[in-house]
Amino acid sequence: MTEAPQLPIQMRRDGFDPVEELTRIRDSEGVVQTMTPFGVPAYLLCRFDDVRQMLSDPIRFSSNRPAPFTLRAGSEISQEEQARLRAGNLIGFDPPEHTRLRKMLTAEFTMRRMRRLEPRITEIVEAALDDLEHAGKPADLVAHFALPVPSLVICELLGVPYSDRGEFQARSARMLDMSSPMEERLAASQENRAYMAGLVAEAQARPGEDMLGMLVREHGDDLSTDELVGISGLLLIAGHETTANMLGLGVLALLRHPDQLAMVRDDPARIEPAVEELLRWLSILHTMPPRITTTDVEIAGQTIPAGSLVTASLPAANRDRAFIDDPDRLDITRGDLGHLAFGHGVHHCLGAPLARAEMRIAFPALFRRFPRLALADPFEEIEYRTFNAIFGLKSLMLTW
């Protein structure tokens, strides 16, 4: 009989909350040694200030790590394949290489560009609401709304055929499922790169008006084909997985707080602070990609030796009493207090303006369309995507 995989402590939740053990670590020693989902030992940071310090310092905490730090023993791949898999992956590089790649994309994710996209996002949201309504009650919010909205937005923005969504969503689910063997996740990653390579080849032959076409036209001489494949693959996965899980969990959180749901639905001034508080309170990314110390570093009174892998609990950090008062209470009137849900520093999420725009439009539209929205199943029976790298819901059956 195969033994069930052990969930690393930084991925454990108690409903919406980080588990009590993470809270205890944060409020006591602050740093412990743990195992990453890849089966590699690491130091785990849990305090807001410590996590922010790590994310702010790419010199002492490097993202430019070799594959043996992230792959289990026996999963090694050739250096050539390692280089291909890393090419274009912004989160795996430090400045100046990270800076070179990121600056080619920054203009596509400005607040001004997102404002221009808002009418199209609104159309996509309304069409998804139509689909949800036509499905009949009870209906699954994840399948009919939370997943389709960001998937279609990123497909149109990037230049990926929306008809392929079933395939790339299935691949991304395999890649992010930490209960699967490393070999299976690596195979899914290689399949995803092969798919994106086909789209890149088409864009190189006939660049369109989408982001992939822009990269080919404006930066084709500066980016290798492998880098184009890596950039587009990262944007596709990150662009739909994160926002989809925020929409699903965010709706569930607001249904459990009906007074705050009413404010989101009825008062346009409340939606932006509501999005920020939901991002903080839910912290759907368990952790940021691990860093490697380039020198001995003292954190929370402990010395972390040079060459150590360091990771962080974002849910614990975003609920640190040293950062925010009454942190376990959802309060959409707080506003943006500087949470770490999108990371921090040079690797702060490039797509944050897009995710915010989608949530700012989607939440109130849903609650206005269905003012009597309610859970179709008991709250206690809702299933979470426990072993996924991005926290979320398997489904959310709703009635109205």
Side-chain angles (χ1 to χ4, degrees), residues 90-264:
L90 282 73
I91 59 178
F93 291 98
D94 296 325
E97 182 64 9
H98 169 268
T99 308
R100 179 184 75 86
L101 294 170
R102 184 170 176 125
K103 71 179 182 180
M104 300 180 195
L105 296 166
T106 301
E108 297 299 309
F109 289 99
T110 61
M111 286 301 298
R112 180 179 299 177
R113 175 70 189 272
M114 294 307 106
R115 292 292 183 188
R116 292 204 302 269
L117 280 176
E118 285 187 3
R120 180 57 184 141
I121 295 174
T122 298
E123 292 175 356
I124 291 171
V125 165
E126 292 299 326
L129 290 173
D130 291 342
D131 180 61
L132 181 66
E133 187 169 12
H134 294 156
K137 55 186 177 182
D140 182 6
L141 183 89
V142 173
H144 293 284
F145 185 74
L147 187 55
V149 167
S151 295
L152 182 51
V153 170
I154 196 63
C155 281
E156 290 194 2
L157 190 64
L158 191 57
V160 174
Y162 187 58
S163 56
D164 294 347
R165 65 191 181 281
E167 296 177 22
F168 70 68
Q169 287 168 358
R171 279 193 300 269
S172 65
R174 288 165 55 205
M175 292 166 63
L176 297 171
D177 183 356
M178 295 300 152
S179 67
S180 297
M182 170 59 74
E183 290 74 15
E184 293 183 14
R185 283 180 271 156
L186 183 59
S189 177
Q190 291 168 326
E191 290 169 16
N192 194 62
R193 286 192 68 90
Y195 170 73
M196 297 309 303
L199 296 183
V200 166
E202 292 179 17
Q204 288 172 325
R206 294 173 297 277
E209 297 304 313
D210 48 66
M211 191 180 301
L212 192 49
M214 177 277 296
L215 287 170
V216 169
R217 283 194 308 274
E218 299 183 14
H219 304 289
D221 294 335
D222 305 315
L223 291 169
S224 69
T225 296
D226 280 338
E227 286 176 329
L228 284 167
V229 170
I231 289 171
S232 56
L234 176 64
L235 292 176
L236 177 61
I237 294 172
H240 80 273
E241 281 282 353
T242 50
T243 307
N245 286 292
M246 269 302 303
L247 289 174
L249 279 170
V251 168
L252 179 59
L254 290 169
L255 287 172
R256 300 290 289 175
H257 297 80
D259 57 329
Q260 302 196 53
L261 184 156
M263 287 189 282
V264 168

Side-chain angles (χ1 to χ4, degrees), residues 67 76-86:
E76 288 81 5
I77 55 179
S78 69
Q79 291 187 355
E80 180 182 0
E81 183 64 12
Q82 289 179 36
R84 291 185 66 250
L85 288 173
R86 291 184 69 237

Side-chain angles (χ1 to χ4, degrees), residues 61-80:
F61 298 93
S62 173
S63 297
N64 189 16
R65 58 192 179 277
F69 277 95
T70 54
L71 296 180
R72 286 193 185 102
S75 299
E76 288 81 5
I77 55 179
S78 69
Q79 291 187 355
E80 180 182 0

Side-chain angles (χ1 to χ4, degrees), residues 187-352:
S189 177
Q190 291 168 326
E191 290 169 16
N192 194 62
R193 286 192 68 90
Y195 170 73
M196 297 309 303
L199 296 183
V200 166
E202 292 179 17
Q204 288 172 325
R206 294 173 297 277
E209 297 304 313
D210 48 66
M211 191 180 301
L212 192 49
M214 177 277 296
L215 287 170
V216 169
R217 283 194 308 274
E218 299 183 14
H219 304 289
D221 294 335
D222 305 315
L223 291 169
S224 69
T225 296
D226 280 338
E227 286 176 329
L228 284 167
V229 170
I231 289 171
S232 56
L234 176 64
L235 292 176
L236 177 61
I237 294 172
H240 80 273
E241 281 282 353
T242 50
T243 307
N245 286 292
M246 269 302 303
L247 289 174
L249 279 170
V251 168
L252 179 59
L254 290 169
L255 287 172
R256 300 290 289 175
H257 297 80
D259 57 329
Q260 302 196 53
L261 184 156
M263 287 189 282
V264 168
R265 181 190 62 222
D266 300 332
D267 186 353
R270 298 288 191 184
I271 184 57
E272 290 194 16
V275 166
E276 299 308 318
E277 175 68 349
L278 287 167
L279 285 163
R280 179 199 71 84
W281 197 69
L282 294 169
S283 293
I284 61 165
L285 287 180
H286 303 291
T287 183
M288 302 300 291
R291 310 290 204 267
I292 289 180
T293 52
T294 59
T295 184
D296 291 355
V297 180
E298 184 171 327
I299 293 280
Q302 297 188 44
T303 298
I304 299 178
S308 300
L309 203 64
V310 183
T311 187
S313 170
L314 297 182
N318 277 330
R319 299 231 189 155
D320 191 343
R321 288 177 179 81
F323 160 57
I324 192 171
D325 293 332
D326 198 6
D328 294 324
R329 178 171 58 88
L330 179 68
D331 179 3
I332 67 165
T333 67
R334 293 187 204 264
D336 184 2
L337 302 178
H339 59 75
L340 301 173
F342 284 124
H344 185 70
V346 297
H347 288 287
H348 182 270
C349 178
L350 181 68

Side-chain angles (χ1 to χ4, degrees), residues 345-362:
V346 297
H347 288 287
H348 182 270
C349 178
L350 181 68
L354 177 61
R356 285 183 167 113
E358 291 176 85
M359 287 184 279
R360 190 172 63 244
I361 293 168

